[in-house]
Every structure is written in structure tokens, then in C-alpha cells.
Amino acid sequence: MPQDKTCKTCSQSFRIASEDERFYKRFDAPHPTKCPQCRMIRRLLERNTRTLYTRKCDATGQEIISQYHEDHPFPVYFYEYWWSDKWDAKKYAQDIDWNKPFFPQFDELRKRVPHMSAHVIGPTLINSRYTNCTGYIKNCYLTFEADHNENCYYSNRIYHSLTCADCLNIFKCELCYECIDCSNCYNLRYSNDCENCIDSYFLSNCKSCKDCIGCINLRHARYQIFNEQYTEEDYKAKLKKYDLETLEGRATLEKEATEFFATHPHRNLHEELNENSLGDYLYNSKDAYYCFDCRDLEDCRYCSRVSMGVKNSMDYTAWGSSSEMMFECAACGDQSYNLKYCSTCTSSNSDLEYCLQCTGCKNCFGCIGLNREKYCIFNKQFTKEKYEETVTRLKKHMHSTKEYGEFFPSEISAFGYNESLAQELFPLKKEEALAKGYQWTEREKPTHNSSNKKNLTCTSCDQDFRTTEPELKFYKQQNLPIPEKCFNCRHEERANKRNPKFFWDRKCDKCNTEIKTTYPPETKHPIYCYDCYKKEIN
């Protein structure tokens, strides 16, 4: 039977559904004490993707770029050294103190074990040092939460893409610029929610379109401008008049397109090829409930920002990549199996609980920074039999201290609320964050040092920023104007164009059917249910 509970963080009521109960039994986990949104926020605190600092590697002394400021209490190793065999995290092993709760002991270990400077799969990065939360990339710069890309710049959450810049949430794209939530596109610019589109500008929710400008809700179209058909000759003449090689021409067309899009219907949710699912920006998934920014899920609940094949998982945030049986995990993935209450664990882990920054490990509990180890607790080696006996006792101990079943307390997070993804998706003022028990960091502004750069001043935040030679080459080859805003302000503008991670109930503006949507109630453009939207565009 469904149960109603009160969140201990926000004091709002939330429901434990019968399908939720199935997962708790599967993972042998107690009911949560926080609502789904507060659970997501806590996991997002583990993910600092874009706030980088200059500091020294505590192993080599070299100057590095790091997601950790130099005032963090633990040592930080440059990721290439961290991934090497030159150090052993087991030398930091500690015994269990049965007279103390688990989390303070874990925090003691956390403060002693070296952390990797960036959350990356180090051996898979080629000429891509100025990135974070990445793997399998080549020649990428200031690109974050990205896998399997080459020659990409200033982008977030891009996958299997080539030579793209200033993009957010794109998949299998090439030569795309300022695109959001697009897949399988080529030479597409200033567009959102598009698929299989080529050589076009300022499109919204279009599929299989080529040589189009300022269009919305089109399918298999060519030589259209603001949804009006043109001849090839007239189209090319009109395109030239827009003068999109200049910032002024781009701004003028963007304003026209935004006004035009507001008069056309929008579908209540951004989702495609899903079965028995509820989510936004959810694609190619089955039995996925309350999931955001996900792709290729099966039998998952309350997941966010995971993709590339995830099964049988719940309360899982960030990453994915052929992972299964993930429960209350943050920033873990790459062929992982049966992880619970873990953070930033990478590549071929299995059967871990309450672990941090472990890779290739199996049957570990409360460990940090281990590489290809098994049967360890607090980084200490056990025999298989002794490990199983001790874990059973430790779980009972954690149940008695009311710790087991809770994700790491927010004070254990290495990042302040304003450094993490939580601030981007659920923004708070400093006073609000502190009132909820979150940390807040106030440090000097992050720096990004590299060679071959030219200085500019951002027209939005008035801060200096720089352009790289590969970036300038990209703009020249693609006939694009040099940006007038820094990459942080550009990213913020892109992120603000996407819908919040929250469902509202409303009625379809066409048929009056009850629907769920992530468009806020004050949204003025028409919102249609799936059936009405499909009829409108066909």
C-alpha cells in the first residue's frame, strides 16, 4: 500500500508508491526520509562540473587545474598520477571504531585519502586536460559531463559528437553550434529539441529538416523560413540578408524566432520513443518513472542525467554508461553493477556500498580511492569470510545510529552548494542554502590557464575571458562571430532555456485533457498533450 511521509529537509509530504516499495525490497534498503527532489539535490552536491581552480598537485608539485580548491582538507593528485600505480590508497586504511557512528569515521578517512583533481577516466583523455566529468575524449576544451567526443569546446553533456561548440545535451552531432537537446544533427546552429537536421539556423522541435531558418514543429522540410516555403534561390538570398556572420544579425534573427516560436504549440513534455514512462528530456526508455535528462533507461525510477544504457536503478544521478542495479548513487558509472550510496566511482565496479572515488573494485564498504581491490572496509583488507561477517555487523551498527539508508550527509560533500550542479538546477541564495543545512563556499573566482589565448571582456558579467587558437579557427571556418560573452554566461543562458525539473498539472490547451508538464504555470505559449501535438504537426 502507498505510504505518505514528510521530508526531513523541506518538510513537504511525499508518497512511497507500491513500485517504490519493489525497489526498496530489491536493494534491501529502508524507506527514504527525504522527498525525491531533496534526494536528487543531495546527490547533485557531489557533482562540481564547471567550477575549476588552479592549485598544485600534492604528489608532484606541478600546477594543475582542479575541481578542488587548495583549501580542501585532503590531498589532491593530478588525475594522470591518481590513475597510475605510483600510490596505494590502502596505506590510509583505518580500523572501525564501534563506539562511533559510521559517517564521522568515513569523513576522517575522506580527509586523508588523496582525491583525483578532476572526475575523469584519466587513461581515456587525449589532449583534454581542461575538462571535468569526462571520458573517452580527444582535443576537447572546457567541456564537461561528456563522453566519446572529439574537437569539442565549451559544452556540457555531449556524447559521441565531433567538432561542436557551445552546446548543451547533444548526442551524435557534428559541426553544431549553440544547440540544446539535439541529436544526429549536422551543421545546425542556435537550435533546440531537433533531430536529424542539417545546415539550418534557429530551429525548434524539428525533425529531418535541411536548409531551414526560424522554423518550429516541422518534419522533412527544406528551404523554409518561419515555416513558409521558399524556392532554393530565394532561400539563399534571404539567408545572406540575415547577415549571421555578425553578432547584430544573429541577435535580430534570434529575437524574431523567439517571438515566432511563442505563437506555436509546444508539447507538454520533451520525450520520444518511451514506453510506460514519465519524464522530461527522456528518450528511448521503458518503465522509467520521474526521470529527467535521461536516455536508454529500463526499469528505473527517480533518475537524472544518466544515459547510454542503465537498467534496474533508482535514485541515480549523473553518468550511467552500461550500468545496472544502481541505488542512491551520484556520478558513478561505466559498466558498474550493484552500487548503493556511492559517489564518483568509475569503471567496472560491483557490489559497493558507501564508497567514494573507487575504480574497478568489488565487494567494498566505506572505501575511498581504491583501485582494483576487493573485500575492503575503510580501505583495510579483509578475507572474504571476515568481510561478509564485518559488513553485516557494520550495517547493524549503522541501523542503530540511524545512518544506514541515508546518503552521505551534506557536510561530507567536498563542494559548496553554489559550486555544485544543485545550484544550476535548483538555485538558492546563500541564506536559503545555509538554512537547509547545505555548505556555501566563497572563494576567488575560478581561473582557466592555457596558452595561445586572447583576452576579451564579457558584455554580461564584465569579467575578462579568453579565446583559444582552436576556438578562433572553428569560428573562422564556420563563419561565426566571436562571442561577446564569457563561456560561463553563455552556458547559463543555454541552461535557462530548458524547463525546470518539476511537474505541474494543467490542461491541454487544445482538448482540455489533464496533463503533466514541466512548463511553469505562467508559460504563455500553447501547451498540447501528445495526441493534439501530433495532429498539429502532421
Side-chain angles (χ1 to χ4, degrees):
M1 293 291 292
Q3 299 182 38
D4 291 328
K5 304 191 71 172
T6 301
C7 176
K8 72 175 188 180
T9 299
C10 69
S11 300
Q12 299 295 313
S13 71
F14 67 99
R15 173 158 290 191
I16 304 292
S18 57
E19 281 296 299
D20 297 335
E21 187 65 51
R22 177 170 64 89
F23 275 83
Y24 298 133
K25 290 180 179 179
R26 173 186 294 174
F27 287 99
D28 191 24
H31 286 176
T33 60
K34 298 179 181 180
C35 68
Q37 181 169 298
C38 286
R39 300 199 303 267
M40 183 195 301
I41 289 173
R42 174 59 194 93
R43 295 191 302 274
L44 289 170
L45 286 174
E46 297 296 296
R47 195 76 155 165
N48 167 19
T49 59
R50 301 170 47 78
T51 307
L52 304 180
Y53 301 96
T54 302
R55 60 167 295 156
K56 291 187 180 299
C57 170
D58 287 306
T60 66
Q62 70 182 112
E63 189 174 271
I64 60 173
I65 295 296
S66 171
Q67 61 182 332
Y68 302 110
H69 191 271
E70 61 185 0
D71 64 8
H72 275 86
F74 42 75
V76 173
Y77 289 175
F78 180 51
Y79 66 77
E80 288 183 353
Y81 188 95
W82 190 94
W83 276 88
S84 73
D85 294 327
K86 297 178 181 179
W87 70 288
D88 183 2
K90 287 204 295 185
K91 79 173 187 178
Y92 300 92
Q94 65 187 41
D95 293 323
I96 301 170
D97 187 339
W98 299 102
N99 295 314
K100 290 183 179 180
F102 170 82
F103 286 136
Q105 296 182 72
F106 182 87
D107 194 33
E108 291 174 9
L109 180 65
R110 182 184 72 93
K111 292 176 179 177
R112 295 188 296 112
V113 178
H115 287 45
M116 57 178 163
S117 56
H119 182 52
V120 298
I121 305 178
T124 70
L125 271 59
I126 301 174
N127 190 32
S128 302
R129 290 192 174 190
Y130 295 88
T131 67
N132 193 19
C133 305
T134 54
Y136 308 97
I137 61 174
K138 181 179 180 180
N139 300 333
C140 293
Y141 179 73
L142 290 182
T143 296
F144 309 97
E145 296 183 280
D147 295 298
H148 305 283
N149 306 293
E150 186 173 344
N151 300 328
C152 293
Y153 319 102
Y154 304 113
S155 298
N156 279 65
R157 300 197 76 242
I158 64 173
Y159 305 97
H160 298 280
S161 294
L162 176 65
T163 317
C164 296
D166 282 301
C167 290
L168 175 62
N169 293 296
I170 64 170
F171 183 74
K172 292 185 178 179
C173 290
E174 184 175 352
L175 288 176
C176 289
Y177 180 68
E178 282 287 3
C179 288
I180 307 170
D181 296 296
C182 295
S183 62
N184 297 290
C185 294
Y186 179 86
N187 196 30
L188 180 66
R189 300 172 188 178
Y190 317 116
S191 299
N192 65 278
D193 302 296
C194 292
E195 183 179 341
N196 297 318
C197 292
I198 300 173
D199 299 332
S200 298
Y201 306 80
F202 292 103
L203 303 188
S204 179
N205 212 324
C206 292
K207 290 185 178 181
S208 302
C209 294
K210 184 177 181 180
D211 297 306
C212 291
I213 302 172
C215 295
I216 184 171
N217 297 335
L218 291 188
R219 304 293 184 264
H220 306 284
R222 191 173 188 186
Y223 300 131
Q224 292 206 27
I225 302 176
F226 294 111
N227 290 33
E228 181 180 346
Q229 188 65 57
Y230 284 72
T231 65
E232 178 181 356
E233 183 179 357
D234 289 343
Y235 172 87
K236 291 181 177 179
K238 188 78 170 177
L239 172 60
K240 188 174 182 179
K241 286 184 178 179
Y242 279 122
D243 196 19
L244 293 179
E245 296 181 11
T246 68
L247 291 169
E248 294 78 9
R250 168 187 160 177
T252 299
L253 183 54
E254 181 176 20
K255 183 176 183 297
E256 289 183 41
T258 301
E259 293 173 351
F260 180 70
F261 295 163
T263 65
H264 286 68
H266 292 58
R267 188 177 165 187
N268 60 318
L269 295 171
H270 305 83
E271 55 100 8
E272 291 287 346
L273 301 175
N274 299 319
E275 180 181 343
N276 190 34
S277 298
L278 173 65
D280 200 30
Y281 302 104
L282 177 66
Y283 307 97
N284 195 36
S285 297
K286 179 181 179 182
D287 298 321
Y289 176 75
Y290 216 98
C291 295
F292 298 94
D293 297 317
C294 293
R295 181 183 293 270
D296 305 321
L297 305 185
E298 183 176 341
D299 196 19
C300 294
R301 297 176 74 79
Y302 309 114
C303 292
S304 175
R305 304 172 82 87
V306 295
S307 60
M308 297 182 292
V310 174
K311 295 182 179 179
N312 308 314
S313 298
M314 183 179 190
D315 282 315
Y316 180 24
T317 300
W319 203 359
S321 188
S322 302
S323 295
E324 187 172 354
M325 295 287 288
M326 309 290 283
F327 182 80
E328 270 284 16
C329 288
C332 298
D334 193 21
Q335 304 181 67
S336 291
Y337 178 82
N338 194 32
L339 271 58
K340 296 164 63 175
Y341 316 112
C342 291
S343 171
T344 56
C345 289
T346 67
S347 300
S348 303
N349 290 296
S350 63
D351 304 304
L352 307 185
E353 293 189 62
Y354 289 104
C355 288
L356 177 70
Q357 289 200 359
C358 291
T359 185
C361 293
K362 184 176 182 179
N363 295 110
C364 292
F365 196 108
C367 293
I368 302 174
L370 294 185
N371 188 0
R372 299 188 298 274
E373 301 290 349
K374 59 183 179 179
Y375 304 123
C376 294
I377 303 173
F378 284 153
N379 289 27
K380 183 177 180 178
Q381 186 69 65
F382 288 76
T383 64
K384 179 179 183 295
E385 294 75 16
K386 189 64 175 178
Y387 171 84
E388 293 173 347
E389 174 188 329
T390 307
V391 165
T392 299
R393 182 185 176 190
L394 183 54
K395 287 184 179 180
K396 289 181 179 179
H397 177 68
M398 293 178 68
H399 276 292
S400 70
T401 58
K402 298 183 178 181
E403 294 173 297
Y404 191 77
E406 297 287 342
F407 195 70
F408 299 114
S410 58
E411 56 267 23
I412 285 182
S413 174
F415 308 114
Y417 193 95
N418 54 321
E419 289 178 304
S420 73
L421 268 178
Q423 179 69 349
E424 179 177 317
L425 301 181
F426 302 95
L428 294 176
K429 297 179 180 179
K430 178 181 178 179
E431 297 75 18
E432 295 171 327
L434 295 176
K436 291 178 178 291
Y438 302 126
Q439 301 179 76
W440 192 271
T441 59
E442 292 184 344
R443 300 179 172 123
E444 77 276 11
K445 291 187 178 295
T447 59
H448 309 288
N449 293 326
S450 184
S451 59
N452 300 321
K453 293 185 174 181
K454 298 182 179 180
N455 287 338
L456 299 169
T457 300
C458 176
T459 59
S460 180
C461 69
D462 204 34
Q463 297 295 316
D464 287 344
F465 70 100
R466 298 170 179 175
T467 56
T468 65
E469 291 300 329
E471 176 189 0
L472 293 172
K473 182 179 179 181
F474 175 84
Y475 297 143
K476 184 176 181 180
Q477 290 177 340
Q478 302 303 314
N479 295 318
L480 293 166
I482 297 175
E484 60 181 353
K485 296 180 181 179
C486 69
F487 87 100
N488 276 323
C489 289
R490 301 198 305 265
H491 171 75
E492 184 176 351
E493 285 186 352
R494 287 191 294 273
N496 288 339
K497 291 177 180 178
R498 305 181 79 239
N499 286 8
K501 311 306 172 197
F502 188 81
F503 292 112
W504 282 274
D505 293 318
R506 66 174 291 164
K507 293 183 178 180
C508 170
D509 288 320
K510 183 75 170 179
C511 70
N512 218 32
T513 299
E514 293 286 346
I515 57 175
K516 287 187 178 296
T517 182
T518 55
Y519 286 100
E522 63 271 17
T523 301
K524 294 182 179 180
H525 53 245
I527 306 298
Y528 283 10
C529 67
Y530 171 75
D531 290 336
C532 290
Y533 180 80
K534 188 175 181 180
K535 292 176 183 177
E536 182 76 15
I537 64 174
N538 288 339

